[in-house]
Amino acid sequence: MEAKSPQPGTYRTDGQALLRVPSAPPPYRLAVVLHGAGATADQALTWLRPQPGANGLLLLAPQSSGSTWDLIAGGYGPDVIRLDAALAEVFRKFPVEAAGVAIAGFSDGASYALTLGLSNGDLFGTVLAFSPGFMAPMLRHGRPRIFISHGTADRVLPIERCSRRIVRTLRDDDYPVTYREFPGGHDVPADIAAEALRWWSTP
């Protein structure tokens, strides 16, 4: 993976993450995608990779060190270290647009994406949160744009005590939030993922 002539494909980085390199020419936009509890980095890539507009994206999917992300399991630790290492490798090897970095996630990964995105809004200009349960930023930096979606029949993370509450809090704090509810359960529907990518591409 050389910065001047990256080969398309999916690679494992030194930071214990998967990196999908597109066939489109640089510079790239980058999306960090975080899997849900009990899932894998490979699964995280499946939400955005097939969608229209993803052919020009670098997709970085870290693997959590445990069954879910460190914050949910008790506090920041090995997963932040892994993510930092993976991001450093990507930025070293690939030309990434400074204003084109997003963090996305599903379920526990969405909660982690919101938390990291609000804490590091100077890096992550966009947050894509699919069915989050909560957010817990210790500090807030920057003002990222936020896209949140949630199924109205979600029995894993019920919408009323999760996304509806999160969205109200964010809007009360004057964050720019686009919110989509859909008739379904705990899922990332293809049309919602496609809409999220279109929304990110057209600020």
Side-chain angles (χ1 to χ4, degrees):
M1 293 186 297
E2 298 297 329
K4 294 183 180 179
S5 58
Q7 297 299 310
T10 301
Y11 303 87
R12 188 166 297 279
T13 74
D14 293 341
Q16 302 185 58
L18 293 179
L19 178 67
R20 184 260 191 179
V21 179
S23 56
Y28 301 108
R29 289 186 302 144
L30 168 67
V32 177
V33 286
L34 307 176
H35 63 75
T40 66
D42 301 79
Q43 289 172 298
L45 289 178
T46 64
W47 312 322
L48 300 183
R49 184 174 55 195
Q51 306 308 326
N55 61 327
L57 297 177
L58 281 171
L59 298 177
L60 178 66
Q63 180 64 51
S64 63
S65 56
S67 61
T68 190
W69 301 98
D70 52 11
L71 175 67
I72 290 92
Y76 290 122
D79 293 332
V80 170
I81 295 172
R82 286 186 177 192
L83 178 55
D84 284 346
L87 283 170
E89 183 175 349
V90 170
F91 291 141
R92 185 173 65 251
K93 294 183 176 182
F94 295 90
V96 176
E97 296 178 10
V101 182
I103 188 165
F106 167 64
S107 190
D108 276 8
S111 299
Y112 204 37
L114 278 168
T115 298
L116 292 177
L118 293 176
S119 299
N120 300 276
D122 46 350
L123 170 62
F124 300 114
T126 300
V127 179
L128 308 175
F130 304 106
S131 303
F134 68 94
M135 58 181 181
M138 296 180 64
L139 298 171
R140 298 189 183 192
H141 295 284
R143 305 292 292 181
R145 300 168 63 227
I146 301 168
F147 180 100
I148 295 176
S149 68
H150 213 113
T152 55
D154 191 334
R155 296 185 178 182
V156 177
L157 294 173
I159 191 171
E160 186 56 49
R161 67 174 175 83
C162 295
S163 281
R164 287 177 181 169
R165 179 179 295 177
I166 291 167
V167 170
R168 284 195 296 269
T169 299
L170 288 170
R171 286 177 172 165
D172 285 347
D173 291 340
D174 293 325
Y175 281 91
V177 181
T178 295
Y179 180 47
R180 295 288 181 266
E181 296 185 357
F182 59 89
H186 199 58
D187 195 10
V188 185
D191 61 329
I192 293 292
E195 180 184 356
L197 282 187
R198 288 194 304 271
W199 172 86
W200 179 25
S201 300
T202 56

